[in-house]
Amino acid sequence: MRIDDLTRTYVRVALDHPLPTLFDYRCDAALLPAPGMLVSVPFGKRHVVGLIAEVTAHSEVPPDRLKSVAGVCAACPPLSGHWLQLAQFAADYYQRGIGEVALPALPQALRDAARWARLLAPEEHYRLLPAGRAALPDALPARASALRRLAAALAAVESLPAADARALHPKAIATLEAWQAEGWVALDVIDSAAPLRSQHHAAQNSTLPTLTDEQTAAFEAIRDAQGFAPFLLHGVTGSGKTEVYLRALAALLAANPQAQALVLVPEINLTPQFEAAFRARFASMDDTAIITLHSGLAEGERARNWFAAHTGRARIVLGTRLAVLASLPHLSIIVVDEEHDPAYKQQEGLRYSARDLAVWRAKQLGVPVVLGSATPSLESWWQVEQGRYKRLTLSRRAVADAALPSVRLIDLEDERRRGRASVEGLSGPLIAALKTRLERGEQSLVFLNRRGYAPQLACDACGWVAGCPRCSAYVVLHKPERALRCHHCGWESRIPRSCPECGNVDIAPLGRGTQRVEEALASAVPGARVLRIDADSTRRKGSAQALFSDVHAGEIDILVGTQMIAKGHDFRRVSLVGVLNADTALFSHDFRASERLFAQLMQVSGRAGRAGLPGEVLVQTRYARHALYHALACHDYIGFANSTLAERRDAHLPPFVYQAMLRAEGRTLDASLTFLQQAAGALADIPAAARVTVYDAVPLTIVKVMHVHRAQLLVESASRAALQATLRAWQPALRTIKGVLRWSIEVDPLDI
Ligand code: ADP
Ligand code: ZN
Ligand code: ZN
């Protein structure tokens, strides 16, 4: 053996690359490589960041083709074996390479070796003080445009990182120091590596609400759980599920001074409400012990928070689905709130279910996991029925006197037959109810799952409908933005004055979206302060937060919006909920549409009457006798779940079978369909596929998006193992079939 070999070793590295293999590199033993460490390696013409999966003494790759590791990230302690196993499991289950799972799960700053050196260096931020806000920019010479830019940048953000200031102007720091001397700006130093502050506040036991008997039973079951313990916390809206999470976390974190908790919520907009509740309850903890992780955080903050979790400093991590892949060395309990929410499913790249990965993680670590919902997914409900998950029930609202709202159906057919007037789709009874609430000073909420002004703009004379030039879809009319917008690809154009086909000037909007309802409400309920919350009205960062606080502050009488207003918010003064246009989902060809609709309607209904005001829900429908509405009116989730499960069993649908979807995107529909047919043919050579059913390749409902034609092929099996084995064996064959731009496999697809 040569001396050289003693100092050399080999590492197998996961890279964010579609080939599901590890890549071998030589590594200087002096770098002390270990699994879970981040390395910078040459790849093609570039250097990329990868993750060491294994350290070995040999490599199969011929020595002349082996390259060497360029550097290791010393600032980042290695990811644990448990975490690597999690990434490996997700990769196997969702049919990807481990690198495609592991690297996107890391904060951007870690994936750029050039930034490693500064990773944990204290960060300096400049913050504009009120005195500075008053003095700047008037105090600046008129021609000092660089200084004015700096002042404007300071005014636009809460705090400006020193690096950003430097990028604006080479002398920015000197200027900021001068301004600091004037008392105009303050300098904050954020040091992620500093030791935790001591825990000095006493817990404020006096303010804790007395638990209901049901809450007590649920809390004690979670607290006393041993090892892996999956719970389904089925609690009606307003039953105080959050209080149960808080108590369970408090007990577990007090019992073990290192323990970490992961709490998932389905939407970014729900994190502030949760964060406030957790900070108030765990006031004795250091500020950095409770952190959030979601895509709305600035890059630096996300990296800092990720580090706090990874190094064990963060005790409670509150986040959206991506947080399920956070590194948490002392993870001791996981909570998934609103576990039924489709937002837990990632819809691009690695199409994982955060809820399912949360359960897997809890099992891997032998810790409790609490799935909470008023309308659990049928998958989870079925697990309970089989005795795999333990059910905890909160059947009543927690606040004394707060009953579930009464649900009334407004039969639109009947209204029409009787010749009763309606205004722009708002029925007489709904308008009357809204006016009563306004008089009483109570709030109302109008729910409609369609944004924009109208889903179509059409010509009466020739039948033209405005469509997207890139997609096989109509474009949506947006009135305040004065635009036609494609909701599939983002294409935008001005609103034409006349029909481009026949010149008719009477082109008219067809159907209704939130903007049109907002407009109609303003005239139908005079004097009401109407606010719209949807993806359009909350595009700017932080604006959703501001709008929701207006509602909480009572500055709004009628809130109109999409599912953004339906989820989880604890509105105290809402006593009426109106539901428009729900019928369309009743007849969808997606078998999950009714489950989703039922959950949505239960959720939005649950916003009414939470604090003791009697709540009422009015649902406008043409199908007043539909079983789904009947179950809704009776608040009968269990009846709905059991009958829907029975239907699924008879029809051999999930959760009684396991599905996967192969999707193809081609330049023509023909290309996509041909690819899928060849793919189906390739299954004949796979033994495990004997237990898999293959359906016909079909175009997607919106077949063309951005000039790309999309089709899909469904495969399913009663055996998860057979399906998994088939998918694994299928991929090499799929790679040899040409003719499409892209293809992908989705396991457990939600949208069929
Ligand atoms: P859910 O998440 O089940 O819809 P929340 O956790 O938002 O319900 O609780 C609804 C309301 O009930 C909140 O305002 C909460 O503060 C209150 N609450 C919860 N538990 C109790 C209790 N034991 N006594 C009084 N109020 C409670
Ligand atoms: Zn026309
Ligand atoms: Zn489009």
Side-chain angles (χ1 to χ4, degrees), residues 209-211 215 236-243 398-399 570 572 610:
T210 312
L211 294 186
Q215 281 176 319
V236 299
T237 52
S239 58
K241 293 185 284 291
T242 313
E243 189 61 37
V399 174
D570 193 19
R572 310 308 304 249
R610 290 172 74 87

Side-chain angles (χ1 to χ4, degrees), residues 201-219:
H201 311 276
Q204 289 139 358
N205 282 320
S206 52
T207 58
L208 295 189
T210 312
L211 294 186
T212 64
D213 291 349
E214 288 179 328
Q215 281 176 319
T216 305
F219 153 60

Side-chain angles (χ1 to χ4, degrees), residues 80 82-83 196 245 248-263 278 282 285 288-291 293 304-318 323 326-335 361-362 365-369:
S80 69
H82 277 134
W83 193 84
L196 291 177
Y245 308 148
L249 259 56
L252 278 155
L253 298 184
N256 172 354
Q258 284 200 313
Q260 294 179 296
L262 173 64
V263 180
F278 279 76
F282 296 98
M285 282 192 188
T288 57
I290 301 177
I291 57 128
L293 275 181
R304 260 197 314 278
N305 290 357
W306 185 91
F307 251 100
H310 176 53
T311 53
R313 288 159 57 97
R315 305 286 310 280
I316 299 176
V317 174
L318 237 150
S327 160
L328 293 153
H330 306 293
L331 184 57
S332 302
I333 181 171
I334 308 178
V335 170
R361 248 185 131 166
L365 300 173
V367 302
V369 55

